[in-house]
Amino acid sequence: MGVAYEPVIGLEIHVELKTNTKIFCGCPMEFGGEANSHVCPVCLGFPGALPVLNKQVVEYAVRAGLALNCEIAPYSRFDRKSYFYPDLSTAYQISQYFFPICKGGYLEIEVNGEKKKIRLNRVHLEEDAGKLLHSGSSITTSDYSLADYNRGGTGLIEIVSEPDLRSAEEARIFLEQLHAVIEYTGVSDVKMEQGSLRCDANISLRPVGSTKLGTKTEIKNMNSFKSLERAVEYEIARQREVLEDGGVIIQETRGWDDSKGLTASMRTKEEANDYRYFPDPDLLPIVLEPQWIEEIKASLPELPTAKKDRFINELGLSQYDAGILTSSRDLAKFFEETVALYNEPKVIANWLMGEFLSLLNANNLEIQESKVTPQQMATLLKTLNKGEISGKIAKTVFSEMFASGKDSATIIKEKGLVQISDEGALTALIEKILAANPKSVEDYRGGKKNALGFLVGQVMKETKGQANPGMVNKLLQEKLN
Amino acid sequence: MSALLGLTAHELQKLLRKKEISSGDLVKEQLHKIKQVEGEINAFITIAEKEALRKAQNVDKKRSRGEELSPLAGIPMALSDNFLTEGIRTTGASKMLENFIPPYSATVVEKLQAAETVLLGKCNLEEMGLGATTENSLFGSTHNPHDLQAVPGGACGGAAAAVAAEEAVFALGTDTGGDLRQPASFCGVIGFKPTYGTVSRYGIISGASSLDQAGPLTRDMTDCALVMNVISGHDPLDSLSVAPNNAKDYTSFLVNDIKGLKIGIPKEYLEGVDPEIIAWLQQAAAKLEELGAHCEEVSLPYRDAVLSTYQIIAAAEGSTNLARFDGVRYGFRAEGEDLDTFYKKTRGQGFGAEVKKNIILGTYVLSAERYETYYLQALKVRTLIKEELEKKLQDYDCLLLPTTSTVAFNFSDERAKALAGETAVLTCPANLAGIPALSLPWGRVKDRPVGMQFLGRAFAEETLFRIGFALEQKTNLTRLSPKGKGVC
Amino acid sequence: MKLTQNELERIADSAKLELSAEESQNYTQALQARLEQMEVLKQIEASQVEPTIDLLPLTNVFREDKVEKGLTKEQVFANAVEVENDCFKVPRII
């Protein structure tokens, strides 16, 4: 009844750091394998076991913090966060509460052409819990559960944004941008579907113009960028309805159900109201020398925003294309390396975003896993440009390159795909086709211009697509007119 | 042959080297003694007879091959049952770990094994190291070898009693607030708590992380130095252990010369101490003066705050260290139809009263609304206590005070038992400040041992070892055998 | 009263300790007494004092990101009571 509400959204993101070993012990990071096969007294919480901090984890956290424009804290330390749950072997999670390793920070996103700065509150280090498998289809319908501690002790960074997001779309764009930035730093694979990137959302509504925050709910279980957007969209609508009906929002944790398209109240963890944080006496402070921070900063690659701007301003790509090409570090790298060999950014961009990406997706491969190299790509495109093959043939050749790893020259030679551009050869063929299709000739001369297309097609068919279509077109027209 | 059993490790080592005795025979003697007295003392929870004999045999073989062996090779010893020993049951004297067989050993245990010592067994203690009388154990009480009616002290009463009763040549215990020194004092043996970080905590059931240190229980200072040489040093598995370049030879500290040392006697800490013990302290001061040291009274006004500060920190850290005992991966497990019930019954039944009370206290002081008033305040007062001690130790080489305010009291003395925890006021300052502390036997009151305590600067163990050694050479007050009193 | 029996029971609950009525009563008394004694700390003016957390003047104690030997399967489960499919079994969570 007249009150307009605006959504206020903050995100909490957990990123799995891809170090060789866990954060506090020498167990290898799990990559499949049997349950409880990458564990030791420390991560299993045996009596007398003690944590020792993995140096690489610290470096990765600083790397991520710098990429996110954070202030790197010269002094930080760990705290115990106490709660009981079967996936937590020591009944306290070692985290950073009082002195996080990175503070503040921001991420710039672009929404409908407008740039917006989303502030971060902090980035801190913590250990991951293990995994629980439930005997039933869900936690609420299970008689028992099974605990696997392979994942327990994995190093995580938790990234907390300020509640600066104002729509589901913004939230999704933010997460996508964050994904790209973190991916560029190389500290994580950030794959949502594998769990190396996890996101929870805190959502509340307030009357437009108000500065006070409304009651928020926490939304969990969003496993993709899309489901994040859908879940946030749903929750905003749900809360709006409650408030417009004169109800109140209950502060609670709600789980997104992707198949049903709704959020439902979760009662899986007892609402641990008090984690009883206190400094972990088993670990010493991290004191970061400015020199070490500088070294890490210097080793950061060009980040997505800067790269995207450069692609637009220096290479003349569109916003959209630049966005796609910079969304993944390896894709951007491939693009740049190819451009270095063949200076046609737009052409290369089209080929990468078209043929290459569709083949990668169809085969479920990452670009760095494909057999095609930037050199091969450049050579193919140069060959196409010289007219030695047609565009259509080029696509066929590329598919073969993708499948076999062979370069274009080899494939063209093996399959005899060189484009026929010899006027003499084509003229002879054209005369043959014209003789065989007198009705089409008549149709064309009678005014039906599309008969030309048919005749071109016949020539192409006869030459198995190898005839130079431009030339065929020209010669046919000459002959017909 | 039974004269062997009262000897020190270094005396026995001479005989072993000369091959006048074998380790095998020595261990057999020791095991025989254990069987003789255990019915009354109950110092051991687990006796590792087979393993001990096997190890002794191995050492004898190496010796006969002419191999170079460490000064403690072949010497039978015992460990308090909170040191994890791979393959040998480790219980923490708790129902929670009644049948727990660790898959790994504590770092200090591995060091002792590498030094070829022979583990006789695991000693009784207060459940999870909480208490001062060694009565709160799943395995019954340990009795003081000097008088079976009396408590041995706690938490590490079993280990101290084993050494006193000649059931083991030396033992290791842990000290969180006096848990090693107080039983050492009650049982008439040497108990030494090193500077925090000197001895690795890895593989020892945690009491309180910032207070715990393991240390030796021995018959003389030379043995103490020999054990320290084995167990001390950097451990990459313990973040809070000393840096790698910190190795010391403790035997080099055994110098019979304390001329010019300045010793302070903190007057506040003499409050409430048995006057006969104070008399012994004065006697000790006199002896020290005779030896050329200088003793005088000093003031440490924060005395009244130490106990509460210690209790809060110990409970807070301890309660979270005990949270891992939930029946899921090891240990006692009760039935529960749902997770919450399962946790509560397992922990409710698996832990004894003292442990549960401590967990509740720790949880209370860490709760968000009380964090600042209790826990944070305790950490700040800890700074004050620590700085006070450190400042005093800049002007004095060490501080002298009694280890306990009374001698061992009877099991039947309810009043004394109720106040037993308070005696930690004399011992917990060393833990709060992380400084080394030596408890040296010094005379008797009513036939029960008295202990004198020396506190030193952090990493200045040398001073304490000198003093202990010098006093040892000067008198026989430091060797208090229980022979003729109750056992042996 | 520093600590009521109700409060003690709530705390025992969050620490996952099942107590009998007798234990609940006894512990409340015992802890009340201890908390009384702890009042002495509140009298000490320490607002400008730094808390002591680390007993050693060390920082940056790290390990290298190298794999170390863990536990074998036998070792992992040797002391577990309920195991299924190489996992530790717990009763119904909800």
Side-chain angles (χ1 to χ4, degrees), chain A residues 165-220:
Chain A
L165 299 161
R166 292 286 173 270
S167 74
E169 187 190 17
E170 275 185 23
R172 177 189 46 84
I173 292 172
F174 174 84
L175 190 62
E176 283 172 345
Q177 183 65 8
L178 183 84
H179 169 274
V181 170
I182 300 294
E183 201 237 357
Y184 271 56
T185 62
V187 307
S188 170
D189 287 334
V190 276
K191 293 203 169 98
M192 272 187 99
E193 65 277 15
Q194 284 180 7
S196 48
L197 172 69
R198 293 169 234 161
C199 181
D200 297 331
N202 288 309
I203 303 165
S204 64
L205 296 185
R206 68 181 174 197
V208 174
S210 163
T211 50
K212 223 178 77 148
L213 291 173
T215 309
K216 66 178 181 197
T217 58
E218 186 188 14
I219 312 297
K220 286 179 167 317

Side-chain angles (χ1 to χ4, degrees), chain B residues 200-360:
Chain B
S200 166
R201 290 177 304 125
Y202 187 79
I204 304 175
I205 300 176
S206 277
S209 318
S210 73
L211 298 164
D212 294 346
Q213 268 296 274
L217 290 155
T218 63
R219 295 194 176 123
D220 76 353
M221 290 305 299
T222 305
D223 277 5
C224 192
L226 291 173
V227 175
M228 280 304 293
N229 277 356
V230 174
I231 64 174
S232 63
H234 172 72
D235 183 10
L237 294 174
D238 178 356
S239 299
L240 273 290
S241 78
V242 292
N245 59 352
N246 224 294
K248 294 178 194 182
D249 177 7
Y250 288 78
T251 60
S252 71
F253 304 156
L254 301 169
V255 172
N256 187 4
D257 177 9
I258 56 168
K259 284 195 278 292
L261 285 184
K262 277 182 73 182
I263 300 171
I265 300 173
K267 62 180 184 194
E268 290 86 355
Y269 285 85
L270 302 182
E271 274 170 42
V273 174
D274 185 323
E276 291 191 68
I277 293 183
I278 301 208
W280 277 114
L281 181 139
Q282 284 159 348
Q283 213 254 30
K287 278 279 178 286
L288 288 163
E289 296 256 343
E290 272 178 53
L291 289 168
H294 176 66
C295 301
E296 66 188 38
E297 189 183 81
V298 300
S299 173
L300 291 176
Y302 278 117
R303 181 246 185 228
D304 286 341
V306 299
L307 201 57
S308 295
T309 305
Y310 162 70
Q311 284 174 345
I312 289 174
I313 295 171
E317 293 178 357
S319 66
T320 56
N321 286 330
L322 290 170
R324 66 189 60 195
F325 297 103
D326 57 12
V328 176
R329 296 162 304 287
Y330 50 83
F332 174 76
R333 192 178 166 113
E335 284 302 310
E337 32 174 79
D338 61 71
L339 185 70
D340 201 52
T341 313
F342 161 74
Y343 276 154
K344 288 177 179 157
K345 283 196 192 297
T346 295
R347 291 164 59 79
Q349 294 170 25
F351 287 137
E354 281 312 304
V355 173
K356 284 190 278 197
K357 275 189 273 187
N358 213 48
I359 291 175
I360 292 172

